[in-house]
Amino acid sequence: MTETDIKLDMTRIPEHIAIIMDGNGRWATERGKERSFGHQAGVEAVRRITSECTRLGVKYLTLYTFSTENWNRPADEVSALMGLVLTSLEDEIFMKNNVRFRVIGDLRRLPDNVRLKLRETEEHTKDNTAMTMVVALSYSSRWEIVNAMQEIMQYRDIGKQAYMDWSYIDEHMIKKHLQTNFMPDPDLLIRTGGELRISNFLLWQIAYAELYFCDTYWPDFDEACLHKAIADYQGRQRRFGKTEAQVEAGEK
């Protein structure tokens, strides 16, 4: 059976898919091109996968676009990436597919024109309902968790009653202060490009996500590759700490 022959169970499509889009630079280098060429090709993959996720009924798609560690890359590559962010936000894919756009990350480090365009796109698409596409930009999970702790401490310092007792700091409170507090945790995390690591992405949120790694570089990741990842997810039993027998018996 080929990837194009895969039949998905449409009743078990992941509600939230997160993707580490890896391999753009290597894809370009193997073709004798500048790394920026690979990032441009990666935008086309984003368009394909966004449209297909919407068609399948995925409700949240989170894309790891630029990490805080990526600021250490050569200045010309960072500049090209910022330019791509601007041009990709001009794409009508959001309105055509009824997709809402959201962004998470330390946006204070972004150029003013990029930050403004991000906010404009969020506002422009806020009433779209088919799917929410979340871009993690200037993002790292450790930064996010530290930021959440700092917010909780700030509330405590200004005398918010609910924060005066340390016992109030539980998983629910921490989640409330994470950047992702508006959406459920990922069901499926996909990483392309052949690397087998998480790279500081959604560390809190993927505690019970199913992980899927493939060798395909992100520019070559297409609908068939997505179907293969989802089919792999559907072939697993999600137990959340329970035994196989408990899950099969329908225990909550």
Side-chain angles (χ1 to χ4, degrees):
M1 178 179 289
T2 66
E3 291 181 14
T4 54
D5 295 327
I6 291 173
K7 302 300 182 184
L8 298 177
D9 180 350
M10 299 304 292
T11 68
R12 297 184 58 221
I13 296 297
E15 180 181 21
H16 183 179
I17 297 177
I19 305 179
I20 301 174
M21 306 179 294
D22 196 18
N24 291 341
R26 284 173 287 159
W27 182 90
T29 299
E30 290 180 6
R31 287 160 176 75
K33 303 286 188 178
E34 296 291 330
R35 289 176 59 86
S36 59
F37 181 76
H39 295 308
Q40 292 171 0
V43 172
E44 294 302 319
V46 168
R47 294 179 179 131
R48 289 195 302 269
I49 299 308
T50 299
S51 295
E52 185 62 6
C53 281
T54 305
R55 189 188 72 81
L56 291 173
V58 175
K59 292 303 180 184
Y60 296 90
L61 174 65
T62 301
L63 303 175
Y64 202 8
T65 304
F66 189 87
S67 72
T68 53
E69 291 81 7
N70 288 153
W71 288 111
N72 296 318
R73 290 190 175 187
D76 57 345
E77 182 175 350
V78 172
S79 178
L81 282 166
M82 291 299 110
L84 270 178
V85 170
L86 286 173
T87 57
S88 62
L89 290 175
E90 299 289 350
D91 196 344
E92 282 301 307
I93 190 170
F94 302 112
M95 304 311 294
K96 181 176 68 174
N97 292 284
N98 192 24
V99 170
R100 183 178 186 181
F101 174 82
R102 297 290 299 266
V103 61
I104 59 174
D106 186 4
L107 305 188
R108 297 169 298 181
R109 300 185 65 177
L110 298 175
D112 289 344
N113 60 335
V114 173
R115 191 164 57 246
L116 177 62
K117 186 61 180 178
L118 291 168
R119 294 311 186 196
E120 287 179 349
T121 305
E122 285 188 320
E123 178 65 22
H124 182 56
T125 63
K126 67 180 182 180
D127 295 325
N128 291 349
T129 59
M131 185 181 76
T132 299
M133 187 235 270
V134 182
V135 167
L137 189 62
S138 187
Y139 171 90
S140 84
S141 190
R142 289 182 176 180
W143 165 83
E144 178 187 30
I145 293 170
V146 169
N147 186 68
M149 296 301 101
Q150 290 174 342
E151 285 189 7
I152 291 171
M153 288 301 296
Q154 287 171 359
Y155 275 95
R156 178 180 170 85
D157 289 344
I158 63 176
K160 293 289 185 180
Q161 187 62 38
Y163 291 77
M164 295 306 291
D165 186 335
W166 291 117
S167 65
Y168 281 94
I169 300 180
D170 56 11
E171 289 189 19
H172 175 75
M173 177 178 288
I174 293 172
K175 183 173 182 178
K176 178 180 177 181
H177 288 274
L178 293 176
Q179 298 262 302
T180 56
N181 57 22
F182 58 90
M183 62 179 173
D185 291 341
D187 301 296
L188 171 63
L189 171 69
I190 299 170
R191 180 169 187 148
T192 65
E195 303 290 357
L196 304 178
R197 56 177 177 267
I198 303 304
S199 295
N200 206 357
F201 183 49
L202 300 179
L203 298 179
W204 178 281
Q205 296 87 342
I206 63 169
Y208 276 101
E210 299 296 328
L211 307 182
Y212 179 86
F213 300 94
C214 67
D215 292 332
T216 306
Y217 292 150
W218 176 247
D220 290 330
F221 195 85
D222 59 14
E223 295 88 345
C225 297
L226 177 66
H227 291 182
K228 186 177 181 181
I230 294 175
D232 185 87
Y233 163 87
Q234 292 182 345
R236 306 182 192 183
Q237 185 185 64
R238 307 194 73 201
R239 295 196 292 271
F240 299 97
K242 298 176 184 176
T243 67
E244 182 177 348
Q246 285 177 304
V247 172
E248 291 177 351
E251 291 187 20
K252 295 183 178 181

